Amino acid sequence: MAWRLLLLCLLGIFNLAQAQEAAKNVVIILADDLGWSDTSLYNQSDFYETPNIDRLADMGVTFSSAYANSPLCSPTRASILTGQTPARHGSTQPNHHLPEVRLQASLPDSAATNRKTLVPRTVTRLDTQIPTLPRLLKQQGYHTAHFGKWHLGPAPYSPLEHGFDVDIPHYSGPGPAGGYLAPWSYAPNLQPQQPGEHIDIRLAQEASEWIAEVKDDGPFFLNFWAFSVHSPFDADPATVDYFTQKRTAFHSQRSSVYAAMVKQFDDSVGILLDSLEEQDLLKNTIIIFTSDNGGNMYNVLGTIRATSNFPLRGGKATEFEGGIRVPTVIYWPGITKQAFLSRRPIQSADYYPTILSGLDIPWPSSHIVDGTDIRPLLADEEFGPRPIITFFPSEPPVPDWLPPSATITLNQWKLIRTFYYGVDGGHMYQLFDIDNDIAERHNLAELYPDVVADLDYQLEQHLLNTAAVTPVENPRYVPGSFNDNNIGKQSANWTIPLADPNNLPPVITVTSDSEIVSAGETVSVSYSLSDENSSTSASYRQFMGPEVTLTETGEKEFSFTAPTVYTKQSIGIAFVARDEVQTTSQVWQVTVMPQAIAPVVNLSAQRTTVTKGGSVNFTVEASDENQEHLIFTIESDAVGIDLPEITASGDYSIQVPNNFSGSTLAITVTAIDGEFTTQNSINISVADAPAPASSGGGGTTSVWVLIMVTGLVLYRRRVS
């Protein structure tokens, strides 16, 4: 009986150890205003440098179609922590630093007579009654800490009231007032360690020290919400100088200050990754990197804009792709494949149910979640299409602005509904095929009315189901008082200053015979200049995509041959024109479609011979230059079994029955990418199992002793 009691204790120790290993740490790295084209993830920029974000991408899955639930910061932040879209949680504008406390969205009583709608008033605080992600994790024994920007309300709505044990620098403002470099007026609890210290780099160091303090006492949740790269625009002078030497006029991005800000944010990411690696925590830590909205391409720094979201249209505070599509990488040990690119869309509200479901942590049934558990996408498994919805009933005074709108994206279609700004008081619609028109140049609403009707119905159902406070018609609107032509037009404070207001810069107009091409096709491009005279000159150069040869074919005309690519690529050409006083630039792009190629499947076994009753351990390694979703199957007809469908490369095992009658076991792996099917097989020799040796009771006891001793050794190693 004693050995049985000891065995039960040993099993209890094993179960405890397994439970400790199952608990995953969570790190969310959130950038502020970092655009889809502001990293090197999608091969859009060779000016910005983000090696640490690339390093994270090499570890996990990169999403090329990740969407923020709002084109502004606070609403997206609320979606991350609640799993709800702005239509439900009511935060639609970043007013959470203002004095007024409003926990429910509402409609105003009136609006200006030249506005067609009453615009909903946003929630201004994240309600502490909501079961937020940190609160639920803390209830499960997690250590919790928030480092960086919050902007969801000051105390009593700060991180400390939402389940965080630590909040540094405990600041509720919209940005780093006064700048990024020390001293920091907004971080009185942090004393600079050196002159000009960068706030995000310091916060990453503080976060690393906190991880070291708590890691041995249970799992932790780290919210690293950087201030970067929100305005004001400043960075380490030496880093700025480096990018000043690197920049060129032939690029859509050429602000050395902004490039330095991106680099220093990336440095802070590197500090976190180094810390996790040095403390051997990467194998047990979920990391999500994303941004709260698209890039701020409208602020003017001197005579250039802070950044460019090219080839996307629009930017921060707009519902075009540049405002809501954001760089995103997720690393989940045991689930994500290394260096995998997913084109399937996800949204900010997905992180809440994904993390909690993956950690087997429930949330209250009364808390409705709009996001979806996307773990199947992390493992590249089948995942049905579902709509991605952005509710943005605001009127931000930026270029590319729209009156109060909402967006739904499903499959290749994106519909923007602008409330009551259409014909005869109806809604205005814009429909884009974003698979083939990433720049959103062609509104297809009139060509596909059925698609518009279907998407609009699904959008309306979401607004009804969430009880969203939506815009209504302004009863005081004076017909004709609003000029529809002003939609999307920039106001004077967003324009780039002219060196000589009396001498307008030349305008460059680019035309092409193609917008989408395949390998081997010839692309012909021509351009023209306004205000052309003897002092006006123009030149062009490629700055994006696989290198091509530009061949001049006439005056202001050139052509090139589309190269062979295996994933969809954009080739970008920059044009620069100068006269005696002014310089202007224009960028143009063409999409090159990928050449289809069959996946590659490699199959190997640890041993080429197995005995009956034993297991065959083998490894599947598959690759696809098209980076498409692959469906795998493993079959072994000789054993008479079909293994369930698998969805990724990995290690697998097949048990050989004791009554197996053959001498060879065949294993076949099939990979299908939708167009091609690739198979690979291996044959394993099967031998008879040796006759069992006889043993007495002492042998049984020895086995139990060996098991217990081995278990205790393994447990001691795990604890150490």
Side-chain angles (χ1 to χ4, degrees):
M1 292 297 294
W3 68 265
R4 292 182 179 178
L5 180 61
L6 182 57
L7 177 61
L8 290 174
C9 293
L10 187 59
L11 289 174
I13 291 173
F14 276 141
N15 289 335
L16 175 62
Q18 289 175 346
Q20 290 175 341
E21 184 172 343
K24 299 280 188 182
N25 308 311
V26 180
V27 175
I28 296 181
I29 302 173
L30 183 68
D32 193 1
D33 290 358
L34 188 73
W36 187 78
S37 298
D38 286 348
T39 73
S40 47
L41 287 177
Y42 311 111
N43 300 316
Q44 302 302 320
S45 175
D46 58 8
F47 181 47
Y48 298 151
E49 297 181 7
T50 54
N52 292 298
I53 295 174
D54 292 345
R55 171 182 163 196
L56 180 60
D58 288 338
M59 296 163 51
V61 54
T62 300
F63 287 89
S64 62
S65 296
Y67 289 94
N69 276 121
S70 172
L72 290 175
C73 62
S74 298
T76 296
R77 293 163 186 264
S79 291
I80 292 173
L81 296 185
T82 66
Q84 299 177 336
T85 66
R88 191 181 301 276
H89 61 60
S91 175
T92 55
Q93 297 179 46
N95 294 349
H96 298 60
H97 58 289
L98 300 179
E100 182 180 1
V101 176
R102 187 184 304 118
L103 299 180
Q104 297 289 331
S106 61
L107 282 171
D109 296 328
S110 62
T113 57
N114 66 343
R115 287 292 179 266
K116 296 184 179 182
T117 61
L118 301 182
V119 179
R121 293 179 295 194
T122 180
V123 163
T124 63
R125 303 290 189 271
L126 182 59
D127 194 339
T128 54
Q129 299 303 308
I130 297 175
T132 55
L133 185 60
R135 176 171 287 113
L136 294 177
L137 291 174
K138 184 175 182 178
Q139 291 172 358
Q140 296 295 319
Y142 272 69
H143 299 280
T144 57
H146 174 86
F147 290 85
K149 175 175 171 176
W150 175 245
H151 206 197
L152 289 172
Y157 302 94
S158 78
L160 299 178
E161 288 81 39
H162 278 284
F164 286 106
D165 303 321
V166 173
D167 176 27
I168 298 176
H170 196 57
Y171 173 67
S172 60
Y180 288 85
L181 307 182
W184 312 294
S185 61
Y186 52 90
N189 51 359
L190 286 180
Q191 294 302 315
Q193 298 172 335
Q194 58 188 12
E197 187 177 16
H198 192 282
I199 184 63
D200 286 332
I201 291 177
R202 174 63 180 279
L203 289 174
Q205 294 167 346
E206 295 285 329
S208 298
E209 293 177 5
W210 176 81
I211 290 173
E213 292 174 1
V214 304
K215 67 181 178 64
D216 294 328
D217 298 328
F220 60 83
F221 171 45
L222 170 63
N223 221 33
F224 185 78
W225 286 8
F227 288 101
S228 301
V229 286
H230 192 283
S231 61
F233 301 98
D234 70 335
D236 170 62
T239 309
V240 174
D241 289 343
Y242 166 78
F243 284 102
T244 298
Q245 298 300 317
K246 183 180 179 182
R247 70 182 176 185
T248 170
F250 293 95
H251 205 295
S252 61
Q253 298 162 329
R254 49 187 176 275
S255 170
S256 54
V257 173
Y258 190 86
M261 293 173 68
V262 172
K263 177 64 170 62
Q264 294 197 276
F265 166 69
D266 184 78
D267 290 342
S268 70
V269 174
I271 292 172
L272 290 176
L273 295 181
D274 287 344
S275 175
L276 293 171
E277 184 174 10
E278 291 166 1
Q279 299 179 65
D280 196 26
L281 293 170
L282 284 176
K283 63 184 179 182
N284 199 32
T285 301
I286 302 161
I287 305 175
I288 297 175
F289 156 72
T290 189
S291 180
D292 59 359
N293 51 249
N296 179 2
M297 59 176 288
Y298 301 125
N299 276 90
V300 177
L301 303 183
T303 59
I304 57 178
R305 300 200 181 278
T307 190
S308 167
N309 296 316
F310 184 85
L312 305 184
R313 177 180 177 182
K316 174 183 178 179
T318 81
E319 294 216 57
F320 297 111
E321 292 292 283
I324 56 177
R325 191 184 290 212
V326 291
T328 299
V329 178
I330 300 178
Y331 166 69
W332 193 307
I335 296 182
T336 53
K337 295 195 299 182
Q338 291 185 341
F340 177 64
L341 175 67
S342 175
R343 299 176 181 83
R344 290 182 282 184
I346 62 173
Q347 60 183 341
S348 308
D350 292 334
Y351 306 137
Y352 181 100
T354 301
I355 292 172
L356 294 177
S357 298
L359 299 175
D360 199 23
I361 298 175
W363 57 86
S365 58
S366 59
H367 180 69
I368 301 174
V369 170
D370 300 311
T372 302
D373 180 358
I374 59 171
R375 281 179 297 159
L377 290 182
L378 303 184
D380 192 29
E381 296 176 359
E382 283 294 340
F383 194 83
R386 46 65 188 258
I388 303 294
I389 293 174
T390 305
F391 179 58
F392 190 54
S394 304
E395 294 182 305
V398 298
D400 302 304
W401 71 278
L402 290 172
S405 302
T407 297
I408 178 171
T409 302
L410 182 62
N411 297 321
Q412 83 268 32
W413 297 110
K414 174 181 177 180
L415 179 72
I416 303 177
R417 175 210 279 187
T418 302
F419 293 91
Y420 303 110
Y421 275 78
V423 178
D424 297 329
H427 301 319
M428 180 177 72
Y429 295 102
Q430 298 181 70
L431 178 70
F432 301 103
D433 178 359
I434 53 175
D435 273 3
N436 297 304
D437 181 21
I438 194 173
E440 296 173 286
R441 290 174 286 199
H442 306 291
N443 180 6
L444 305 176
E446 293 186 1
L447 294 178
Y448 297 96
D450 292 343
V451 176
V452 171
D454 177 59
L455 293 178
D456 194 48
Y457 173 79
Q458 295 190 56
L459 175 59
E460 182 64 22
Q461 290 303 114
H462 178 76
L463 297 176
L464 292 173
N465 292 338
T466 57
V469 179
T470 58
V472 299
E473 293 183 85
N474 180 11
R476 298 179 59 239
Y477 173 67
V478 175
S481 60
F482 178 81
N483 184 357
D484 292 335
N485 294 325
N486 288 333
I487 294 177
K489 299 294 177 60
Q490 63 186 18
S491 55
N493 61 309
W494 296 103
T495 58
I496 294 177
L498 298 175
D500 181 0
N502 297 318
N503 179 13
L504 296 178
V507 176
I508 306 170
T509 302
V510 184
T511 59
S512 171
D513 58 350
S514 305
E515 292 182 355
I516 301 176
V517 296
S518 299
E521 292 186 28
T522 299
V523 182
S524 298
V525 182
S526 62
Y527 63 97
S528 61
L529 303 174
S530 66
D531 190 28
E532 193 169 359
N533 55 55
S534 58
S535 65
T536 304
S537 63
S539 54
Y540 53 84
R541 187 182 303 170
Q542 180 185 1
F543 72 92
M544 176 187 294
E547 186 175 354
V548 297
T549 300
L550 306 181
T551 302
E552 187 173 331
T553 56
E555 185 179 4
K556 298 185 179 61
E557 294 180 355
F558 62 89
S559 67
F560 61 89
T561 301
T564 298
V565 297
Y566 299 106
T567 60
K568 189 185 298 183
Q569 299 280 330
S570 292
I571 292 179
I573 309 294
F575 299 81
V576 175
R578 300 178 177 87
D579 60 18
E580 294 176 338
V581 179
Q582 308 278 16
T583 299
T584 188
S585 62
Q586 178 69 32
V587 288
W588 169 90
Q589 67 95 21
V590 62
T591 300
V592 183
M593 300 302 291
Q595 177 175 310
I597 188 172
V600 175
V601 176
N602 293 316
L603 188 58
S604 60
Q606 295 179 5
R607 294 181 299 168
T608 58
T609 301
V610 64
T611 57
K612 296 177 182 179
S615 297
V616 178
N617 299 313
F618 59 96
T619 299
V620 179
E621 295 181 348
S623 62
D624 181 34
E625 287 199 71
N626 296 136
Q627 294 184 316
E628 296 174 308
H629 170 66
L630 298 179
I631 298 176
F632 293 90
T633 57
I634 299 179
E635 298 176 322
S636 181
D637 295 335
V639 179
I641 60 172
D642 286 336
L643 271 71
E645 177 185 304
I646 63 172
T647 55
S649 303
D651 297 323
Y652 300 91
S653 179
I654 291 180
Q655 185 79 21
V656 181
N658 288 313
N659 60 354
F660 182 71
S661 60
S663 60
T664 302
L665 173 68
I667 301 173
T668 300
V669 175
T670 303
I672 304 172
D673 66 3
E675 183 174 353
F676 296 99
T677 298
T678 300
Q679 285 188 331
N680 200 350
S681 300
I682 56 173
N683 293 319
I684 305 295
S685 298
V686 180
D688 291 332
S694 61
S695 62
T700 302
T701 302
S702 299
V703 170
W704 281 115
V705 171
L706 179 61
I707 291 174
M708 288 184 287
V709 171
T710 302
L712 288 172
V713 171
L714 290 175
Y715 173 69
R716 288 174 61 86
R717 288 181 179 178
R718 184 185 303 278
V719 171
S720 64

